[in-house]
Short mmCIF file of all heavy atoms in Angstrom, two decimals:
data_model
loop_
_atom_site.label_atom_id
_atom_site.label_comp_id
_atom_site.label_asym_id
_atom_site.label_seq_id
_atom_site.Cartn_x
_atom_site.Cartn_y
_atom_site.Cartn_z
N ALA G 476 -15.22 77.47 135.48
CA ALA G 476 -16.05 78.01 136.53
C ALA G 476 -16.31 77.00 137.53
O ALA G 476 -16.96 75.89 137.19
CB ALA G 476 -17.41 78.63 135.89
N HIS G 477 -15.92 77.23 138.76
CA HIS G 477 -16.35 76.33 139.87
C HIS G 477 -17.51 77.04 140.65
O HIS G 477 -17.25 78.00 141.34
CB HIS G 477 -15.26 75.97 140.85
CG HIS G 477 -15.52 75.12 141.90
ND1 HIS G 477 -15.03 73.71 141.87
CD2 HIS G 477 -16.34 75.35 142.99
CE1 HIS G 477 -15.58 73.20 142.99
NE2 HIS G 477 -16.25 74.11 143.66
N VAL G 478 -18.60 76.39 140.51
CA VAL G 478 -19.85 77.16 141.04
C VAL G 478 -20.30 76.41 142.26
O VAL G 478 -20.56 75.34 142.40
CB VAL G 478 -21.10 77.12 140.06
CG1 VAL G 478 -22.27 77.77 140.63
CG2 VAL G 478 -20.61 77.72 138.77
N ALA G 479 -20.34 77.24 143.44
CA ALA G 479 -20.83 76.81 144.71
C ALA G 479 -22.30 77.45 144.80
O ALA G 479 -22.43 78.68 145.01
CB ALA G 479 -19.95 77.28 145.94
N ALA G 480 -23.21 76.69 144.53
CA ALA G 480 -24.61 77.29 144.31
C ALA G 480 -25.50 77.06 145.58
O ALA G 480 -25.33 76.04 146.10
CB ALA G 480 -25.27 76.69 143.01
N SER G 481 -26.40 77.90 145.71
CA SER G 481 -27.50 77.76 146.88
C SER G 481 -28.53 76.80 146.26
O SER G 481 -28.98 76.97 145.16
CB SER G 481 -28.12 79.01 147.15
OG SER G 481 -29.38 78.80 147.68
N PRO G 482 -28.85 75.75 147.04
CA PRO G 482 -29.88 74.77 146.52
C PRO G 482 -31.22 75.49 146.66
O PRO G 482 -32.28 74.90 146.52
CB PRO G 482 -29.74 73.57 147.55
CG PRO G 482 -29.11 74.18 148.86
CD PRO G 482 -28.32 75.29 148.39
N SER G 483 -31.33 76.77 146.99
CA SER G 483 -32.61 77.44 147.06
C SER G 483 -32.72 78.47 145.85
O SER G 483 -33.59 79.36 145.85
CB SER G 483 -32.79 78.15 148.38
OG SER G 483 -33.09 77.19 149.41
N LEU G 484 -31.71 78.37 144.99
CA LEU G 484 -31.92 79.14 143.66
C LEU G 484 -33.05 78.45 142.74
O LEU G 484 -33.24 77.30 142.94
CB LEU G 484 -30.61 79.27 143.06
CG LEU G 484 -29.67 80.17 143.49
CD1 LEU G 484 -28.23 80.02 142.88
CD2 LEU G 484 -30.04 81.67 143.47
N SER G 485 -33.57 79.39 141.97
CA SER G 485 -34.62 78.75 141.11
C SER G 485 -34.07 77.83 140.03
O SER G 485 -32.85 77.86 139.72
CB SER G 485 -35.36 79.99 140.42
OG SER G 485 -34.46 80.55 139.45
N ASN G 486 -34.96 77.00 139.48
CA ASN G 486 -34.59 76.08 138.38
C ASN G 486 -34.00 76.94 137.28
O ASN G 486 -32.96 76.55 136.72
CB ASN G 486 -35.78 75.36 137.81
CG ASN G 486 -36.36 74.37 138.83
OD1 ASN G 486 -35.57 73.68 139.48
ND2 ASN G 486 -37.73 74.35 138.94
N GLU G 487 -34.55 78.05 137.02
CA GLU G 487 -34.01 78.93 135.84
C GLU G 487 -32.67 79.31 136.07
O GLU G 487 -31.71 79.24 135.15
CB GLU G 487 -34.94 80.12 135.62
CG GLU G 487 -36.36 79.89 135.27
CD GLU G 487 -37.21 79.24 136.36
OE1 GLU G 487 -36.73 79.38 137.55
OE2 GLU G 487 -38.24 78.63 136.05
N THR G 488 -32.31 79.88 137.29
CA THR G 488 -31.04 80.31 137.57
C THR G 488 -30.03 79.20 137.58
O THR G 488 -28.89 79.29 136.95
CB THR G 488 -30.97 81.02 138.82
OG1 THR G 488 -32.05 81.95 138.91
CG2 THR G 488 -29.66 81.70 139.13
N LEU G 489 -30.33 78.07 138.20
CA LEU G 489 -29.52 76.88 138.22
C LEU G 489 -29.22 76.34 136.85
O LEU G 489 -28.05 75.97 136.47
CB LEU G 489 -30.04 75.90 139.05
CG LEU G 489 -30.10 76.16 140.67
CD1 LEU G 489 -31.04 75.24 141.34
CD2 LEU G 489 -28.62 76.15 141.15
N PHE G 490 -30.19 76.39 135.92
CA PHE G 490 -30.13 75.98 134.59
C PHE G 490 -29.00 76.88 133.80
O PHE G 490 -28.19 76.36 133.15
CB PHE G 490 -31.49 75.92 133.81
CG PHE G 490 -31.37 76.03 132.28
CD1 PHE G 490 -30.93 74.90 131.59
CD2 PHE G 490 -31.85 77.15 131.62
CE1 PHE G 490 -30.89 74.89 130.25
CE2 PHE G 490 -31.74 77.10 130.22
CZ PHE G 490 -31.32 76.03 129.55
N LEU G 491 -29.12 78.15 133.99
CA LEU G 491 -28.21 79.07 133.32
C LEU G 491 -26.79 78.86 133.91
O LEU G 491 -25.85 79.01 133.10
CB LEU G 491 -28.73 80.49 133.41
CG LEU G 491 -30.09 80.72 132.75
CD1 LEU G 491 -30.66 82.09 133.13
CD2 LEU G 491 -29.91 80.59 131.26
N LEU G 492 -26.73 78.64 135.25
CA LEU G 492 -25.40 78.42 135.77
C LEU G 492 -24.79 77.17 135.23
O LEU G 492 -23.59 77.10 134.92
CB LEU G 492 -25.50 78.27 137.38
CG LEU G 492 -25.61 79.67 138.04
CD1 LEU G 492 -26.10 79.44 139.52
CD2 LEU G 492 -24.33 80.45 138.04
N LYS G 493 -25.67 76.13 135.01
CA LYS G 493 -25.26 74.86 134.45
C LYS G 493 -24.64 75.15 133.06
O LYS G 493 -23.56 74.53 132.72
CB LYS G 493 -26.33 73.87 134.38
CG LYS G 493 -25.88 72.59 133.83
CD LYS G 493 -27.12 71.74 133.43
CE LYS G 493 -26.48 70.48 132.72
NZ LYS G 493 -27.58 69.46 132.48
N ARG G 494 -25.25 76.09 132.30
CA ARG G 494 -24.73 76.28 130.98
C ARG G 494 -23.37 77.03 131.03
O ARG G 494 -22.51 76.66 130.26
CB ARG G 494 -25.77 77.19 130.23
CG ARG G 494 -26.88 76.39 129.61
CD ARG G 494 -27.93 77.13 129.02
NE ARG G 494 -27.48 77.96 127.79
CZ ARG G 494 -28.17 78.77 127.18
NH1 ARG G 494 -29.40 78.96 127.43
NH2 ARG G 494 -27.63 79.52 126.21
N LEU G 495 -23.24 77.81 132.05
CA LEU G 495 -21.96 78.55 132.29
C LEU G 495 -20.84 77.37 132.60
O LEU G 495 -19.71 77.50 132.09
CB LEU G 495 -22.05 79.51 133.38
CG LEU G 495 -20.82 80.48 133.68
CD1 LEU G 495 -20.57 81.37 132.45
CD2 LEU G 495 -21.10 81.28 134.84
N ILE G 496 -21.26 76.43 133.40
CA ILE G 496 -20.36 75.48 133.78
C ILE G 496 -19.87 74.58 132.52
O ILE G 496 -18.76 74.30 132.35
CB ILE G 496 -20.99 74.61 134.86
CG1 ILE G 496 -21.20 75.29 136.22
CG2 ILE G 496 -20.08 73.21 135.11
CD1 ILE G 496 -22.10 74.62 137.17
N THR G 497 -21.01 74.20 131.83
CA THR G 497 -20.68 73.39 130.61
C THR G 497 -19.74 74.18 129.64
O THR G 497 -18.84 73.67 129.08
CB THR G 497 -22.02 73.10 129.91
OG1 THR G 497 -22.98 72.62 130.86
CG2 THR G 497 -21.82 72.05 128.79
N LYS G 498 -20.06 75.41 129.39
CA LYS G 498 -19.28 76.27 128.64
C LYS G 498 -17.74 76.32 128.98
O LYS G 498 -16.97 76.36 128.06
CB LYS G 498 -19.98 77.67 128.55
CG LYS G 498 -19.13 78.83 128.00
CD LYS G 498 -19.52 79.12 126.51
CE LYS G 498 -18.56 80.25 125.93
NZ LYS G 498 -18.65 80.21 124.54
N THR G 499 -17.58 76.49 130.29
CA THR G 499 -16.23 76.63 130.70
C THR G 499 -15.53 75.39 131.14
O THR G 499 -14.49 75.40 131.60
CB THR G 499 -16.23 77.62 131.95
OG1 THR G 499 -16.96 77.03 132.91
CG2 THR G 499 -16.72 78.90 131.59
N GLY G 500 -16.24 74.27 130.99
CA GLY G 500 -15.78 73.02 131.53
C GLY G 500 -15.50 72.87 133.00
O GLY G 500 -14.65 72.18 133.46
N GLY G 501 -16.39 73.60 133.70
CA GLY G 501 -16.21 73.66 135.17
C GLY G 501 -16.99 72.69 135.94
O GLY G 501 -17.42 71.57 135.40
N ALA G 502 -17.34 72.92 137.16
CA ALA G 502 -18.09 72.00 138.01
C ALA G 502 -19.03 72.82 138.90
O ALA G 502 -18.72 74.03 139.23
CB ALA G 502 -17.09 71.14 138.88
#
Side-chain angles (χ1 to χ4, degrees):
Chain G
H477 182 103
V478 179
S481 157
S483 290
L484 282 170
S485 67
N486 290 317
E487 295 73 17
T488 307
L489 289 166
F490 162 66
L491 296 167
L492 283 169
K493 179 193 178 176
R494 281 176 58 184
L495 187 65
I496 291 163
T497 312
K498 163 101 183 159
T499 60

